Amino acid sequence: MAEIEFLIDEAGPLAPTFLFGHGAGATMEAPFMATVATGLARRGVRVARFEFAYMAARRRGGPKRSPPKVDLLQDEFRAVVQALPCAGPLFIGGKSMGGRVASLVADALFEAGDICGLLCLGYPFHPQGKPEKLRTAHLAELQTPSLICQGTRDPFGTDAEVASYALSEQIEMAWVQDGDHDLKPRKRVTGLSHEEQLEQVCDGAAAWIKARC
């Protein structure tokens, strides 16, 4: 694996750190990633963004490829955790695919004392348009304290759909009213812009992280 490049948004000495993985089609510098990272940092949470190898290779001019199998991404995520300099409490997670991969490695890391919790933003409970292909089996037994921030109209798992899933008691759902997979609401419905909504998401996520340190 090539050397891992981190984008760090600092938040002061011994601040909790959130290791933030990207979604399947966006870089660590994507607007959503940058907005959440700076928003959490302003609220006292250090954020470390990184890219899986396939996305980092694309940035270096390589071909545009789909993500590899999730087993390989899990191995990468574990390697990133080990490579990240971190003095304070560590939380892992990500946007969409990044959060899914983090959720698959979380329990082993939590049991080892390496992390304090899991934060997912727009979890892909199922592929878009395929609600029968659930990605929730491991979530029923998850032992890591977890927060999933999910839009109520997310095509990868709406509030009505998620209500029918068997999820661990360690998972807390934070519903973003009228949010899509990017947690973006329709302003005519909520009166909020995407940026205003993400500020609220960062409020809740930072408070949740700090309560577990």
Side-chain angles (χ1 to χ4, degrees):
M1 186 175 177
E3 183 178 352
I4 300 164
E5 177 185 353
F6 293 101
L7 276 181
I8 307 290
D9 290 84
E10 295 289 358
L14 300 183
T17 293
F18 174 47
L19 180 58
F20 193 10
H22 58 82
T27 71
M28 62 182 174
E29 294 181 339
F32 179 96
M33 299 285 291
T35 299
V36 171
T38 56
L40 289 176
R42 287 199 310 272
R43 291 162 174 82
V45 177
R46 175 177 179 257
V47 180
R49 286 175 274 167
F50 73 98
E51 286 174 342
F52 292 103
Y54 80 94
M55 186 62 72
R58 185 190 302 184
R59 179 192 293 278
R60 293 191 294 268
K64 185 174 181 179
R65 291 176 177 163
S66 299
K69 291 183 178 180
V70 72
D71 289 349
L72 294 176
L73 294 175
Q74 290 179 62
D75 290 341
E76 284 194 50
F77 208 112
R78 294 186 192 98
V80 172
V81 170
Q82 295 303 315
L84 175 66
C86 182
L90 176 62
F91 293 76
I92 64 172
K95 169 73 170 77
S96 191
M97 182 196 74
R100 181 191 176 202
V101 176
S103 73
L104 288 162
V105 303
D107 272 359
L109 293 169
F110 180 67
E111 186 176 350
D114 293 331
I115 66 169
C116 297
L118 169 73
L119 171 62
C120 300
L121 303 165
Y123 188 87
F125 287 97
H126 58 73
Q128 187 170 359
K130 298 178 179 179
E132 73 283 357
K133 294 185 179 296
L134 291 178
R135 297 162 171 160
T136 58
H138 67 293
L139 298 181
E141 306 298 331
L142 197 68
Q143 295 302 304
T144 306
S146 304
L147 178 66
I148 299 178
C149 301
Q150 191 83 358
T152 57
R153 60 185 179 93
D154 189 331
F156 293 81
T158 66
D159 54 346
E161 290 172 333
V162 175
S164 69
Y165 301 156
L167 300 179
S168 165
E169 292 183 355
Q170 295 298 323
I171 298 175
E172 179 180 341
M173 296 297 304
W175 288 106
V176 177
Q177 185 60 38
D178 198 55
D180 62 10
H181 195 50
D182 291 328
L183 309 181
K184 182 179 181 178
R186 294 168 292 189
K187 191 164 187 177
R188 62 180 173 79
V189 173
T190 64
L192 296 175
S193 67
H194 195 193
E195 291 73 20
E196 290 168 332
Q197 186 65 280
L198 289 181
E199 286 292 312
Q200 293 187 8
V201 169
C202 288
D203 280 342
W208 183 86
I209 287 172
K210 289 180 177 181
R212 279 149 190 85
C213 294

